[in-house]
């Protein structure tokens, strides 16, 4: 059986305690994973610290950028390995891993290589009371050792979204991938070596959250900052852990995102776009729309069309090119999603599509599939309308006026993303500007420019990453003032 090991100071490190890495498409065991104990996590942090004091710490931004570009190139050279590992760990269709996850990982390194080699800093000339002046300017220094905790839904994409800017700014990192998806973070270690990244700059520790590698990492006194993507309640737990040592944190958390569909939308494009926003990655994207609001004139037609789309989705083996939807990540997560399907029934929903578990009559019946599901008829106060389900499911409700749609969309404790579908551009701007969300898309969804601010409000997170915002999080700006 293959063993996935921790990666510390340029070496793969095993441990007696292991856990299984499961393929969610059929429930088979892919590998055993070495669980990092406190000592391994400590060694990883120490090796990161040592790396900053060594060759890595002496490199300038241009040299670091050149190394990051090599990492991007090596990800591309090993494209098929990354795709295969991501597909086996997550069950996502091979077409999705090939189009989204792995290309974005390479793009993350290239984007932050470009940014760090061109980014400026602020400077001001200040008039002083004595008629002279002062010049102030800021310089960028690394934070030090950055602890990166990543989720399972877009494992490599979301990990590299943080590793790339952290390294661009001169930090060394210790990453803890999700226990569900340990493979690609470990493959990335091989790529780091190939690209010539000095030992200790990139370390991987495997394990769980509480009482395991996640907690050991976040509570480590020599970790200078913690950046986390995952559930809001995990963010709250991490915040408590880091509070005593007052570490900078960046949190990208959950969502309960709305899509607002106006009667004047480009109908077919909108149905395809909303279907993607609901079902992509089996609904396991933090940006997915779980609440769809449709203007009453086109409500029945839209529900019918989305139902047809859901019915047409090809669910099956992630390894087949034509598969459009794979399983959920785990047995436990399927139990959670199915518990929401049951709750929706109790709360009075009508199931317009799905609600159950598909049967295949082959090994896929050992996997964690659920049917794409469309609900109607729930009151806005229902738990299914308030809590993040994180599965291939949405509720569709009608609205009459723009004001009503805005009020319903904003009636959530989350604030990550929204999408608006209309052919009236003035309305698009007007409604977008009223959304309480970190990002609002008009006539599109999950269209990303890596230079733009990304993050959430409320339960959806703290801080913004992307472009200069990432550089600002992953560096200490030191201000220098000179009297002239
Ligand atoms: P999760 O919070 O269960 O786990 C995320 C990571 O945190 C894992 O590596 C886990 O081992 C670790 N962890 C858990 N408890 C910990 C603790 N006490 N201390 C330290 N580490 C701990 O999230 P998940 O189930 O892997 O991912 C799905 C969730 O992530 C959804 O809520 C989704 O919306 C959210 N998400 C948000 C974004 C975003 O950018 N806003 C992106 C992707 C996913
Ligand atoms: C959440 O599941 C998706 C997050 C996406 C990003 O962080 C990104 O940079 O595209």
């Amino acid at each position: 059986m293959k063993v996935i090991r921790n990666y510390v100071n340029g070496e793969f490190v095993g441990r007696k305690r292991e856990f299984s890495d499961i393929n969610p498409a059929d429930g088979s065991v892919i590998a055993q994973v070495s669980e990092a104990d406190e000592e391994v996590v400590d060694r990883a942090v120490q090796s990161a610290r040592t790396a900053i004091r060594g060759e890595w710490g002496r490199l300038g931004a241009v040299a670091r950028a050149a190394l990051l570009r090599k990492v991007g190139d090596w990800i591309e050279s090993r494209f098929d390995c990354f795709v295969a590992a991501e597909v086996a760990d997550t069950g996502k269709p091979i077409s999705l891993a090939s189009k989204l996850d792995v290309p974005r990982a390479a793009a993350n390194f290239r984007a932050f290589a470009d940014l760090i080699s061109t980014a400026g800093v602020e400077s001001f000339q200040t008039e002083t009371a004595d008629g002279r002046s002062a010049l102030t300017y800021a310089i960028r220094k690394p934070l030090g050792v950055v602890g990166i905790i990543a989720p399972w839904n877009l494992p490599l994409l979301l990990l590299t979204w943080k590793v790339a800017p952290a390294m661009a700014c001169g930090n060394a990192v210790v990453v803890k991938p999700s226990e569900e998806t340990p493979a690609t973070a470990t493959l990335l270690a091989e790529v780091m070596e190939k690209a010539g990244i000095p030992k200790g700059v990139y370390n991987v520790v495997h394990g769980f959250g509480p009482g395991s590698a996640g907690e050991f990492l976040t509570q480590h006194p020599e970790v200078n900052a913690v950046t986390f993507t995952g559930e809001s309640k995990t963010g709250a737990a991490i915040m408590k852990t880091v509070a005593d040592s007052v570490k900078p944190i960046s949190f990208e958390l959950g969502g309960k995102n709305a899509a607002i569909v106006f009667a004047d939308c480009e109908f077919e494009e909108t149905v395809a776009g909303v279907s993607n926003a609901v079902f992509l990655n089996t609904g396991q994207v933090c940006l997915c729309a779980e609440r769809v609001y449709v203007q009453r004139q086109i409500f029945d037609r839209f529900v019918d069309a989305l139902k047809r789309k859901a019915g047409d989705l090809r669910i099956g083996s992630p390894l087949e090119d034509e598969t459009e939807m794979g399983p959920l990540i785990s047995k436990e997560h399927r139990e959670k999603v199915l518990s929401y399907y049951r709750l929706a029934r109790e709360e009075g929903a009508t199931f317009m599509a799905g609600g159950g578990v598909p049967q295949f009559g082959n090994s896929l019946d050992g996997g964690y599939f659920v049917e794409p599901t469309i609900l109607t008829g729930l009151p806005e106060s229902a738990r299914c309308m308030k809590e993040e389900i994180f599965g291939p499911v949405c509720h569709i409700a009608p609205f009459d006026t723009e004001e009503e749609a805005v009020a319903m969309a904003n009636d959530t404790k989350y604030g990550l993303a929204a999408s608006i579908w209309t052919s009236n551009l003035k309305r698009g701007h007007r409604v977008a500007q009223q959304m309480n969300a970190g990002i609002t898309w008009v006539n599109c969804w999950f269209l990303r420019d890596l230079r733009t601010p990304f993050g959430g409000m409320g339960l959806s997170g703290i801080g913004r990453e992307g472009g200069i915002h990432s550089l600002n999080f992953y560096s200490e700006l030191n201000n220098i003032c000179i009297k002239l």
Side-chain angles (χ1 to χ4, degrees), residues 257-261 274 277 289-294 399 409 417-421:
N257 311 302
I260 304 179
V261 178
V274 172
E290 291 192 1
R291 298 179 296 137
V292 180
Y293 298 101
V294 179
F399 70 88
S419 62
I420 294 157
W421 304 85

Side-chain angles (χ1 to χ4, degrees), residues 385-406:
M385 299 292 277
K386 298 290 174 212
E387 298 172 16
E388 183 188 49
I389 302 173
F390 220 54
V393 53
C394 72
H395 178 270
I396 316 186
F399 70 88
D400 293 301
T401 65
E402 195 176 298
E403 293 70 28
E404 199 190 339
V406 168

